[in-house]
Amino acid sequence: MNTRKHTLLIALLSAVAVNSTHASILWQGNFETGDMTQWHTAINPAGLSVITECAFDGKHAGKVRLTGDESFIWKGNKFLNRSEFHHRSTAGNTYEGKDTFFAFSFYLPKKLTEHKHELGYWESDKSWQQMLRFNITGSELSFQESAGKEVLWKLPQGAAPGQWQRVAMHIHWSTDPKIGSAEVWVNGQHMGKNFFKNLPAKDALMFTQIGILRTQEEAVEEIFIDGALETDNLTELLERDKHLVGKTCTP
């Protein structure tokens, strides 16, 4: 093979490899557009913004800021003091037997109060039934089936302030509690695989909301969100951006 043909072959193989890599990413919410257009309808958008002072990767991140102001109360319910970024997958992707590979990173400039905060959860767009969620209480991160009384696991410093934390999950959707499952990794640490009913109906369109949902209180609290993505495989989910876990931001 002459030099020119060899060079063209290498270029072609490289292009195929690059396209294959990009093809495995179904969606990204990394705010590198400089705005919130990657995400769907915002929940209480007054508390949401895009910042450049502290990013997980790239130059931008999303910021959630809650105050005790009544404008953050959701539909008059003082137990729903909230502001969140919203993402929903393509219709059919969360039907019975489907799999979701999803990850996001969060950063707390300061420790949250000792009251429970819902960091992120998956909910149905028809019944508005929440099925699984992550909680933050102080510096503790926990995970639970929303219908369960007890958390499935907790990490005492899983929400420690001053560093980027990475949450990755593989969800197998099912209305059958013996088949539906959620497998979670926090900063690369495998937290186990739990089985429970995570789909309210076989044709439910599930969406996720990430930010802060809390009972109304006077404390001003902030959280940064970045590096959110949905992939079509577990390898991409766990390998992408793992070198950035624990990254800090200069005050």
Side-chain angles (χ1 to χ4, degrees):
M1 182 181 293
N2 62 42
T3 302
R4 183 171 182 275
K5 288 184 177 180
H6 185 257
T7 301
L8 289 174
L9 178 60
I10 292 176
L12 178 61
L13 292 174
S14 297
V16 170
V18 169
N19 288 334
S20 297
T21 299
H22 288 307
S24 66
I25 303 297
L26 304 178
W27 171 83
Q28 287 193 94
N30 58 13
F31 300 96
E32 290 307 296
T33 54
D35 54 30
M36 293 179 278
T37 55
Q38 294 170 314
W39 297 77
H40 295 83
T41 306
I43 305 301
N44 272 355
L48 304 178
S49 62
V50 176
I51 61 172
T52 57
E53 60 265 30
C54 180
F56 177 67
D57 191 17
K59 298 180 179 179
H60 302 84
K63 177 180 176 179
V64 180
R65 185 176 189 271
L66 287 186
T67 71
D69 189 272
E70 291 188 358
S71 64
F72 291 109
I73 296 177
W74 186 250
K75 297 183 177 180
N77 187 339
K78 67 178 182 179
F79 295 106
L80 291 177
N81 189 202
R82 68 194 298 192
S83 192
E84 298 150 316
F85 295 105
H86 175 106
H87 166 66
R88 62 180 63 207
S89 187
T90 304
N93 283 2
T94 60
Y95 284 5
E96 181 76 33
K98 296 291 187 176
D99 292 275
T100 293
F101 301 94
F102 186 82
F104 67 95
S105 295
F106 69 94
Y107 181 99
L108 292 167
K110 295 181 179 180
K111 178 182 175 181
L112 298 186
T113 67
E114 294 299 324
H115 298 117
K116 187 191 77 173
H117 303 71
E118 293 186 15
L119 163 66
Y121 53 85
W122 287 86
E123 184 175 309
S124 166
D125 75 328
K126 294 180 180 179
S127 65
W128 312 113
Q129 186 175 353
Q130 187 190 109
M131 303 304 290
L132 54 120
R133 70 169 179 257
F134 294 93
N135 307 310
I136 296 178
T137 305
S139 293
E140 179 187 274
L141 176 69
S142 63
F143 176 70
Q144 72 179 102
E145 175 190 0
S146 298
K149 295 182 179 180
E150 302 295 332
V151 300
L152 295 168
W153 54 257
K154 57 186 177 183
L155 283 175
Q157 294 299 310
Q163 68 180 60
W164 281 97
Q165 317 282 357
R166 185 72 170 167
V167 175
M169 65 195 84
H170 170 204
I171 304 171
H172 184 69
W173 299 105
S174 181
T175 55
D176 187 333
K178 295 181 180 180
I179 298 176
S181 65
E183 193 169 9
V184 181
W185 293 259
V186 178
N187 296 334
Q189 178 182 351
H190 187 215
M191 302 305 298
K193 184 176 184 178
N194 296 103
F195 289 86
F196 55 91
K197 176 182 176 180
N198 54 28
L199 199 62
K202 291 185 176 182
D203 61 347
L205 172 59
M206 304 298 292
F207 60 81
T208 186
Q209 293 181 165
I210 304 171
I212 300 176
L213 188 156
R214 68 179 191 184
T215 298
Q216 186 189 20
E217 55 182 309
E218 294 301 314
V220 176
E221 296 183 311
E222 296 180 343
I223 190 171
F224 306 155
I225 306 298
D226 200 6
L229 62 88
E230 185 177 354
T231 78
D232 63 7
N233 67 89
L234 185 60
T235 300
E236 180 79 21
L237 180 77
L238 299 180
E239 292 296 320
R240 191 175 180 86
D241 298 330
K242 70 177 184 179
H243 62 290
L244 297 172
V245 169
K247 178 181 177 181
T248 60
C249 293
T250 303

